[in-house]
Amino acid sequence: MRSQPLVEGRLPPSQPSPGRGRSQSRVKGVKAALDAWFASRGWKPFKFQREVWKAIAQGQSGLLHATTGAGKTYAVWLGALLAFSRARKQSAIKSAQMPTPMPLTVLWLTPMRALAADTLRALQQPLEILGAEVHPWSAGARSGDTSSAERSAQNTRLPSVLVTTPESLSLLLARADARDVLGHVQMAVVDEWHELLGNKRGVQVQLALARLRRWNADLAIWGMSATLGNLHEAMHALLGHEDGVLVQGQVPKKLVIDSLLPGRAERFPWGGHLGLTMLPQVIDEIAASKTTLVFTNTRSQSEIWYQAMLEARPEWAGVIALHHGSLDREVREWVERGLKSGELKAVVCTSSLDLGVDFLPVERVLQIGSPKGVARLLQRAGRSGHAPGRPSRITLVPTHSIEMVEGSAARTAIAAGHIEARHSPDQPLDVLVQHLVTVALGGGFVPDDLYDEVRGTAAYEGLARESWQWCLDFVSQGGPSLSAYPDYRRAVPDADGVWRVPDARLARRHRMNIGTIVSDASMAVQYLGGSKIGNVEESFVARMKPGDCFLFGGRLLELVRIHDMTAWVRRATGKRPAVPRWSGGRMPLSNTLADAVVQQLALAGEGRYDSPELRCVRPLLEIQQQWSALPTPQTLLAETLSTREGSHLFLYPFAGRHVHLGLASLLAWRIAQHEARTFSIAVNDYGFELLSATEVDWAVLLPQVLGLPESKSKSDGDGDGGGDGAHEALLHEVLASLNAGELAQRRFREIARVSGLIFQGYPGEKRSSKQLQASSSLFWEVFRKYDPGNRLLQQAEQELLAQELEIGRLRTSLARMATQQLVLKPLARPTPFSFPLMVELFREKLSNENVADRIARMVEQLEKATGGVLTAGGVERVKGTLAFGQEGPGKPPRPARPRRERRRPSRPLPPL
């Protein structure tokens, strides 16, 4: 174990301090009781569980990585019971008085409130068998769902083990007696660490753990995860140092990944073209299983599939259900209870059921559409057979022909152990500003001491003194532009140099807005004179008029009126519904899965169609290869086509839609530097399209605009595009190629909320997104004009690049493309790969009716060109599939318009 320097006279957290070993205080009876409990259930501890118990007993911290349902919870929890249980005095054992439970000893952090109750039940079970000679443990949960009565009781005395969320832990840290309440915690456990690691909630956890370590240098910290590719980096982010114990649970568990394949694969697909044609097969699979989870990638798709299943099997009403994050908590809890009891046959759900909750009756998992990533696929597969020794099975249901390749690719990636990495955000100052006020409330802080503490986290280990001083200035006066406003004097030093919150009103405001979860303003959906159904985004409801209908919670609802941020509705029948769309729906294909897909396409190019999925999609791939080529890891495929719309370029980097948007904008901007041009852009997970109304010589221009920019001078780097100068040049080009100001301002809105610039309101106070947007826009303009060096403005730009445009992946993609052989194929007609991109562009310009008509005619012409006779199935069938290709926020629902009796013939397509 590597030695570490002493910090403030403390021993390094990774090394047991004198007397830190737990064997002296361990109660022998606890081990005997737990052994008997395991034996009564027919269990035997796995090797990895014994490893964790030993490490905890030695006072070590670490990360446990094991498959879902392998027994991670008991590995850590029983280790805590063995290490921290205390013997009662003989006189106390003989006393008739009820013994006082142990003080707060273990903090158990969970990423979702919905998991708290389930986790609490799992922790309580072994407590019941502890003998009378052991100090009893009490267990409780504290989250936004905790009742006021229970919260009041906890304010007097917290339980021995507390299950809570990052936000509730921060609220505890904001108590004036925080050190007295939390200073004796012996162990902190972070469940589902992979879910927190890559976002600001994970940074919030890092800062909270650093505060607990300051109060107790012997604090043990353990994380649990099932789907991480960068384990050592993840453990460093959790512990703040490298010297932890990494335990990998190798438990034999059968995992089955298969695909539900259509009778035939469309050779010219468009987004979501399979639509509900897969519904009969999905119904058959559900009917053949006891309990099934049907995962979709978006809440909108879950609504559509649930309604379609009910229409197909009306007798299933009451035994199938819908579950997503916008439904009311009581509805979600009813569904979860039905799953646990086995009363429900199927639940259509989203990521709301990805994590943690144990549903032992679940036999099958169906994934509608692409899983987008290997980790997400594994996480959802683990929802079935959620127990050691039980097989897990997930079946992919493609909504697009090319998605079939992903099933074969995912199996290959998992067999090779390839899982996506997740990285901690780097120095988000809005989270740090919020933490400073939290600590100022929780007893106050001395800046130099807190600076050392904060730098002990992975997220802020590189925090410069200048950035730290800026944060102090910001919480003390709001920076130079807000110094005249007392509301922004949120923390100031007292006579002893300890920084505290000077105003009780500001303290209340801060406590009400702690957290980093930021979402668009939502409206409650409630029946007239009845119960609440859930929440939809305000931007969706704002487009509707009284009398309009929409599908929500599996019901057809009619909007009656909007009042006090509530959409009052009643049941409707027989009217054409709109489907709510929530922001953040479009997930990009991960690098890991995209690379595996390209490997599968390369195998197909060699004539190796070894998997059922490749054999099913073989007609499409053979046409692609015949008319153009198939991508490989060594080649970059580009296609060009001239139509009446103009000059098309199709490029296939296979880097995910976010990166493709950045690449398309960047290439369009670079081309426009040679000659002024206007481009239309379409993207999907496999590639992108650039369309110019004027002729473009792609063969000449494309090689010139691909690749990384060169450094401006040798001092900037090594001159080959790999130095800091090249990186800065790329950032400049990307920002110049997009409407970066508008995009960064949107990011700033979230940063303003987290940093406390915008007060979101007290409970029950209704503030619309327009009010919040106006407030953030005002700050944006003030800072840009009077405080251009404001670091929150810089953070908005950095987050835009890192998160929305994925600048790291974009740069990697450009570097890889520069090493690949460019294969440029002039086309006589659209190929199976280019056709879906053309459809994406149609959708931006045409109504669904016109898009459907055009798709049907184009598919018929393309099929004739192959010598086939297959068609798209008619305009109405095409129109019915279009909703399945829209994963994100869509255009406002169009009112139904009567079709004209006669139409003029459409203009003919160019010859194919």
Side-chain angles (χ1 to χ4, degrees):
M1 184 175 294
R2 189 168 71 239
S3 63
Q4 291 182 335
L6 294 179
V7 179
E8 298 181 353
R10 297 180 300 166
L11 286 169
S14 57
Q15 299 180 353
S17 58
R20 188 178 177 186
R22 313 297 184 191
S23 57
Q24 295 287 332
S25 60
R26 186 188 305 167
V27 181
K28 294 181 181 179
V30 175
K31 186 177 187 304
L34 293 177
D35 286 344
W37 183 63
F38 257 59
S40 68
R41 294 176 166 235
W43 296 348
K44 289 185 178 180
F46 291 115
K47 179 183 177 183
F48 80 86
Q49 291 175 322
R50 292 194 297 269
E51 289 178 14
V52 173
W53 296 344
K54 180 180 178 181
I56 294 175
Q58 293 174 347
Q60 295 178 300
S61 299
L63 176 66
L64 170 59
H65 189 266
T67 57
T68 300
K72 295 189 294 295
T73 299
Y74 285 140
V76 177
W77 176 226
L78 299 187
L81 289 179
L82 289 167
F84 303 115
S85 294
R86 296 203 310 260
R88 294 174 61 204
K89 294 180 180 179
Q90 287 298 317
S91 58
I93 296 175
K94 297 177 181 178
S95 172
Q97 291 183 343
M98 287 292 294
T100 303
M102 289 181 60
L104 178 60
T105 305
V106 177
L107 270 175
W108 197 285
L109 295 180
T110 175
M112 294 173 61
R113 290 182 296 179
L115 300 183
D118 199 70
T119 302
L120 182 60
R121 281 190 290 270
L123 301 185
Q124 286 172 329
Q125 289 184 9
L127 296 182
E128 299 169 359
I129 52 87
L130 295 179
E133 71 277 8
V134 179
H135 262 289
W137 288 68
S138 57
R142 189 181 184 96
S143 70
D145 292 339
T146 304
S147 67
S148 57
E150 185 175 357
R151 194 182 299 272
S152 178
Q154 290 177 356
N155 287 339
T156 303
R157 183 181 179 85
L158 285 167
S160 311
V161 55
L162 180 66
V163 182
T164 189
T165 61
E167 292 74 25
S168 292
L169 175 55
S170 291
L171 279 169
L172 289 173
L173 290 174
R175 288 173 49 157
D177 60 347
R179 182 163 190 165
D180 295 334
V181 171
L182 301 173
H184 300 289
V185 171
Q186 300 296 309
M187 183 174 178
V189 181
V190 184
D191 202 354
E192 309 283 5
W193 176 229
H194 59 273
E195 190 68 18
L196 297 168
L197 171 60
N199 55 51
K200 290 181 182 179
R201 298 183 76 210
V203 176
Q204 188 179 9
V205 170
Q206 292 181 45
L207 290 169
L209 293 178
R211 181 103 288 234
L212 296 177
R213 276 199 304 267
R214 187 173 194 83
W215 293 335
N216 179 11
D218 294 341
L219 178 73
I221 299 173
W222 280 85
M224 298 189 296
S225 178
T227 53
L228 273 172
N230 52 333
L231 294 176
H232 289 282
E233 181 183 346
M235 185 170 69
H236 171 68
L238 177 69
L239 306 182
H241 56 82
E242 301 289 349
D243 297 319
V245 179
L246 178 59
V247 179
Q248 294 184 262
Q250 303 295 335
V251 178
K253 186 176 178 69
K254 185 178 180 181
L255 173 63
V256 178
I257 301 172
D258 55 9
S259 298
L260 205 58
L261 301 175
R264 65 176 178 84
E266 297 277 2
R267 292 189 286 189
F268 300 96
W270 58 95
H273 70 95
L274 290 176
L276 291 174
T277 58
M278 302 297 294
L279 180 64
Q281 291 171 265
V282 169
I283 293 291
D284 290 343
E285 295 295 320
I286 293 173
S289 301
K290 181 181 177 182
T291 305
T292 303
L293 290 180
V294 182
F295 278 103
T296 66
N297 288 337
T298 67
R299 287 167 279 186
S300 305
Q301 293 297 303
S302 68
E303 294 277 356
I304 294 173
W305 275 87
Y306 174 73
Q307 192 66 28
M309 288 166 56
L310 269 184
E311 290 175 358
R313 296 292 292 267
E315 69 274 18
W316 280 358
V319 295
I320 66 172
L322 179 66
H323 191 290
H324 61 66
S326 291
L327 296 175
D328 191 60
R329 178 167 61 94
E330 291 185 4
V331 176
R332 298 197 308 270
E333 290 178 349
W334 175 84
V335 174
E336 291 163 14
R337 288 194 298 269
L339 274 173
K340 290 176 183 177
S341 65
E343 296 173 4
L344 292 176
K345 187 163 189 62
V347 174
V348 184
C349 56
T350 62
S351 57
S352 58
L353 289 185
D354 269 2
L355 301 178
V357 182
D358 296 340
F359 301 124
L360 292 180
V362 174
E363 293 179 350
R364 291 286 303 278
V365 172
L366 301 180
Q367 166 66 45
I368 306 294
S370 168
K372 303 293 186 180
V374 176
R376 184 176 293 106
L377 181 69
L378 286 172
Q379 188 72 38
R380 292 181 172 179
R383 298 297 94 206
S384 66
H386 195 278
R390 294 181 59 182
S392 294
R393 182 182 179 188
I394 186 167
T395 301
L396 304 181
V397 182
T399 60
H400 187 291
S401 290
I402 303 177
E403 283 178 356
M404 287 183 244
V405 182
E406 293 185 30
S408 181
R411 275 199 305 275
T412 303
I414 291 171
H418 296 161
I419 303 176
E420 292 84 7
R422 305 195 188 195
H423 308 285
S424 173
D426 184 32
Q427 300 182 35
L429 296 186
D430 55 342
V431 183
L432 181 55
V433 164
Q434 183 185 106
H435 184 67
L436 291 181
V437 183
T438 297
V439 177
L441 280 172
F445 67 88
V446 176
D448 285 346
D449 293 344
L450 186 57
Y451 177 65
D452 292 337
E453 178 185 315
V454 167
R455 278 175 54 92
T457 65
Y460 299 100
E461 60 188 0
L463 183 69
R465 272 284 180 186
E466 294 79 9
S467 297
W468 174 251
Q469 187 58 51
W470 183 89
C471 292
L472 292 175
D473 293 341
F474 191 76
V475 298
S476 63
Q477 60 178 13
S481 55
L482 301 177
S483 57
Y485 300 93
D487 277 4
Y488 300 103
R489 290 176 53 82
R490 292 179 287 166
V492 294
D494 62 13
D496 298 322
V498 178
W499 286 54
R500 305 182 190 277
V501 177
D503 188 302
R505 180 179 61 87
L506 295 179
R508 286 194 299 271
R509 281 179 52 161
H510 179 78
R511 289 191 178 100
M512 295 311 308
N513 288 273
I514 279 179
T516 62
I517 300 175
V518 178
S519 60
D520 284 353
S522 62
M523 280 191 180
V525 180
Q526 189 165 349
Y527 284 122
L528 281 173
S531 61
K532 179 183 174 184
I533 308 169
N535 297 278
V536 296
E537 284 188 2
E538 179 190 359
S539 57
F540 171 79
V541 180
R543 297 170 179 151
M544 306 188 74
K545 305 185 303 292
D548 287 350
C549 295
F550 62 102
L551 197 62
F552 182 65
R555 306 171 179 89
L556 183 59
L557 306 174
E558 178 184 340
L559 179 65
V560 178
R561 67 174 181 268
I562 298 172
H563 178 67
D564 198 22
M565 291 295 286
T566 300
W568 298 93
V569 299
R570 58 181 165 225
R571 295 293 287 266
T573 56
K575 294 186 179 181
R576 182 182 174 185
V579 180
R581 299 206 177 274
W582 288 267
S583 66
R586 291 201 166 205
M587 297 180 291
L589 193 69
S590 74
N591 264 355
T592 302
L593 187 54
D595 290 346
V597 168
V598 174
Q599 293 282 359
Q600 293 295 306
L601 294 177
L603 293 176
E606 299 170 1
R608 296 170 57 185
Y609 294 89
D610 300 330
S611 67
E613 293 88 354
L614 285 182
R615 287 193 289 271
C616 184
V617 82
R618 183 171 185 168
L620 180 154
L621 299 180
E622 288 180 338
I623 292 295
Q624 174 67 31
Q625 192 170 21
Q626 180 182 339
W627 289 2
S628 175
L630 288 172
T632 72
Q634 295 77 35
T635 60
L636 173 65
L637 176 62
E639 299 172 340
T640 61
L641 176 68
S642 293
T643 68
R644 67 167 181 256
E645 281 89 6
S647 182
H648 304 255
L649 170 71
F650 305 98
L651 201 65
Y652 305 101
F654 280 80
R657 65 174 62 249
H658 289 175
V659 173
H660 290 160
L661 176 60
L663 284 173
S665 302
L666 177 62
L667 295 192
W669 181 83
R670 286 179 175 178
I671 292 170
Q673 304 310 298
H674 293 79
E675 182 181 346
R677 296 177 184 275
T678 301
F679 290 97
S680 298
I681 294 174
V683 302
N684 61 21
D685 277 321
Y686 311 124
F688 61 85
E689 175 188 4
L690 290 179
L691 171 61
S692 171
T694 58
E695 192 65 27
V696 179
D697 190 347
W698 295 110
V700 173
L701 279 178
L702 191 56
Q704 298 177 23
V705 297
L706 289 175
L708 288 166
E710 293 186 0
S711 300
K712 294 181 180 179
S713 68
K714 293 291 183 181
S715 62
D716 289 332
D718 53 14
D720 64 355
D724 292 340
H727 182 64
E728 291 300 322
L730 177 61
L731 295 183
H732 168 75
E733 288 187 345
V734 170
L735 291 172
S737 68
L738 292 161
N739 183 12
E742 177 64 31
L743 294 173
Q745 185 173 352
R746 189 175 65 194
R747 297 297 308 184
F748 180 78
R749 175 183 170 183
E750 300 180 3
I751 291 168
R753 292 196 207 180
V754 173
S755 64
L757 282 173
I758 298 175
F759 178 51
Q760 299 180 65
Y762 294 108
E765 183 181 356
K766 307 293 184 180
R767 301 192 74 193
S768 71
S769 62
K770 286 184 178 180
Q771 291 173 305
L772 296 174
Q773 183 65 59
S775 299
S776 66
S777 298
L778 178 61
F779 283 114
W780 172 265
E781 295 299 334
V782 168
F783 288 158
R784 282 169 60 89
K785 187 173 182 179
Y786 300 105
D787 186 12
N790 191 293
R791 299 190 182 225
L792 297 184
L793 296 180
Q794 299 171 17
Q795 183 183 333
E797 185 177 286
Q798 291 165 359
E799 288 189 8
L800 166 66
L801 290 167
Q803 297 176 26
E804 293 196 32
L805 301 178
E806 298 190 70
I807 192 67
R809 283 185 69 180
L810 192 152
R811 188 169 188 266
T812 302
S813 297
L814 281 173
R816 184 181 64 214
M817 290 158 62
T819 66
Q820 291 175 312
Q821 178 188 353
L822 178 62
V823 178
L824 186 62
K825 294 287 186 179
L827 303 178
R829 59 186 66 85
T831 61
F833 280 15
S834 64
F835 183 70
L837 286 167
M838 295 184 76
V839 172
E840 288 291 330
L841 212 52
F842 298 160
R843 281 178 163 157
E844 296 297 321
K845 301 178 179 180
L846 304 173
S847 67
N848 275 0
E849 289 84 355
N850 292 336
V851 171
D853 182 66
R854 188 159 187 185
I855 289 174
R857 288 185 291 110
M858 288 184 70
V859 169
E860 186 174 359
Q861 288 189 1
L862 291 169
E863 285 290 354
K864 285 180 180 178
T866 67
V869 294
L870 300 177
T871 68
V875 174
E876 290 304 316
R877 185 238 166 197
V878 173
K879 190 164 61 176
T881 69
L882 292 178
F884 291 85
Q886 294 178 305
E887 297 180 23
K891 294 180 284 190
R894 297 174 180 268
R897 292 179 294 184
R899 294 180 64 94
R900 287 178 284 184
E901 291 292 328
R902 300 181 63 181
R903 298 179 55 206
R904 289 187 297 175
S906 300
R907 294 174 61 187
L909 288 170
L912 297 175

